Amino acid sequence: MTLLAPTAPRTPVPVPPRTAARRGSAYLSTHPRTRLALLLSAPLFWLGAVYVVALALLLVTAFWTTDTYTGEIRTEFTLDNVITVLTDGFYQGITLRTVGVALAVTAIDVLLAVPIAYFMAMVASPAMQRALVVLVLTPLWASYLVKAFAWRSVLSNDGILEWLLRPLGGHTPGYGIPATIITLAYLWLPYVILPVYAGLERVPNSLLEASGDLGGRSWTTLRLVVLPLAWPAIIAGTIFSFSLSLGDYITVGIVGGGSQMLGTLVYQDIGAANNLPLASAIALIPIIIIFGYLFLVRRTGALDNL
């Protein structure tokens, strides 16, 4: 018979006190929705206070007026600014020019982004993919103003583009709408490449192999298989280029020469003219256009790719 050695008495583990922090932690562990609400409360409050409230004040200011003699804002409701912006031929022309520039920039970026993104996602090796992603992101590390002024130097009459085109009988476009389109297309190209690349990367290779097994050539596979699956991602990229071009005013001031867009009118009315209500009324135009564009593309699933 084996005798067991007596064991020392066990010391009871002390029960931690029921503090308010422990009670709150226990409550949040069993209520995930409350935990999520508290987690999002700070950023949602900041978004509501800084963005939504500011946008609401902008909309309200558009229905005020400015005293011609004193320059003070009168908080009297009036539709004069909105009617002027919507019916005056000058503002209608500026609106058409701005939308035309935004559409041209978007078209150029899509034509450049789709082949680049396709090569990154479908052709390049994993190591080359990482290198190409870094190259696409590298221009974003430089200052916006540095890139805009660099294009001003390139497009000037004594710039490098004129030096390259002169022996071929060509000339630089100089400053104006073409220069604005070129510069904006360069600035927003990475914002179009990345969504398209992400969309193409999600296309299963099995679909491409199945298309090849069924006799589909490269162009047929690209047109009937790849592009329909990547279409929402392409639309998502156009949202960035179109909206950013629609509201830009710095680039047109640097390379646009005497050209004007909606953004420059807003800047001039706030600064030199000191007419905040009219500037707010002009700012309503790109806001309405953007909301209309988002309403048109929401059925394509593009918003899920943002």
Side-chain angles (χ1 to χ4, degrees):
M1 182 176 181
T2 303
L3 298 177
L4 298 176
T7 58
R10 296 181 179 179
T11 304
V13 179
V15 178
R18 296 285 296 177
T19 60
R22 289 187 61 83
R23 290 195 297 269
S25 177
Y27 176 81
L28 292 177
S29 64
T30 57
H31 294 78
R33 292 186 178 181
T34 305
R35 186 170 65 248
L36 179 63
L38 292 176
L39 181 65
L40 297 178
S41 59
L44 288 178
F45 172 78
W46 180 260
L47 177 65
V50 175
Y51 182 76
V52 177
V53 174
L55 184 60
L57 292 176
L58 173 67
L59 299 178
V60 171
T61 307
F63 299 98
W64 294 346
T65 185
T66 302
D67 189 282
T68 307
Y69 299 100
T70 63
E72 296 181 355
I73 297 177
R74 294 181 177 179
T75 59
E76 301 174 357
F77 182 82
T78 178
L79 294 174
D80 292 344
N81 293 322
V82 177
I83 293 174
T84 299
V85 169
L86 294 179
T87 59
D88 192 284
F90 172 76
Y91 295 106
Q92 292 176 352
I94 296 295
T95 300
L96 292 176
R97 179 186 302 161
T98 303
V99 174
V101 169
L103 291 175
V105 170
T106 301
I108 293 173
D109 281 345
V110 168
L111 292 176
L112 294 176
V114 171
I116 295 173
Y118 180 83
F119 180 83
M120 293 170 59
M122 300 293 184
V123 181
S125 63
M128 185 177 290
Q129 281 184 3
R130 292 190 290 269
L132 291 175
V133 169
V134 172
L135 291 177
V136 171
L137 293 175
T138 299
L140 300 180
W141 301 344
S143 170
Y144 175 98
L145 290 176
V146 170
K147 292 182 286 187
F149 276 106
W151 273 103
R152 178 183 175 89
S153 176
V154 170
L155 297 171
S156 63
N157 291 328
D158 54 350
I160 186 173
L161 186 61
E162 177 71 18
W163 178 74
L164 292 173
L165 295 178
R166 187 177 300 167
L168 303 176
H171 297 282
T172 178
Y175 304 141
I177 293 299
T180 302
I181 294 174
I182 293 172
T183 305
L184 289 177
Y186 167 79
L187 291 174
W188 312 140
L189 181 60
Y191 297 97
V192 183
I193 292 177
L194 294 178
V196 178
Y197 165 68
L200 289 173
E201 198 175 27
R202 292 195 293 266
V203 176
N205 292 328
S206 59
L207 293 179
L208 305 182
E209 296 172 358
S211 176
D213 294 339
L214 294 174
R217 297 180 179 275
S218 300
W219 173 248
T220 304
T221 302
L222 177 64
R223 181 171 55 89
L224 299 180
V225 178
V226 177
L227 287 181
L229 294 175
W231 184 247
I234 296 174
I235 297 298
T238 65
I239 294 175
F240 288 107
S241 60
F242 183 77
S243 60
L244 292 173
S245 300
L246 201 64
D248 189 273
Y249 73 95
I250 299 177
T251 296
V252 68
I254 295 175
V255 300
S259 303
Q260 288 184 318
M261 293 173 60
L262 290 175
T264 56
L265 292 182
V266 173
Y267 176 75
Q268 292 171 0
D269 284 323
I270 292 178
N274 192 27
N275 194 342
L276 182 59
L278 182 58
S280 301
I282 298 173
L284 291 177
I285 299 177
I287 293 175
I288 294 173
I289 294 174
I290 289 296
F291 274 107
Y293 186 72
L294 293 177
F295 178 79
L296 292 176
V297 305
R298 67 185 179 90
R299 296 183 179 273
T300 65
L303 300 181
D304 298 332
N305 289 268
L306 297 178

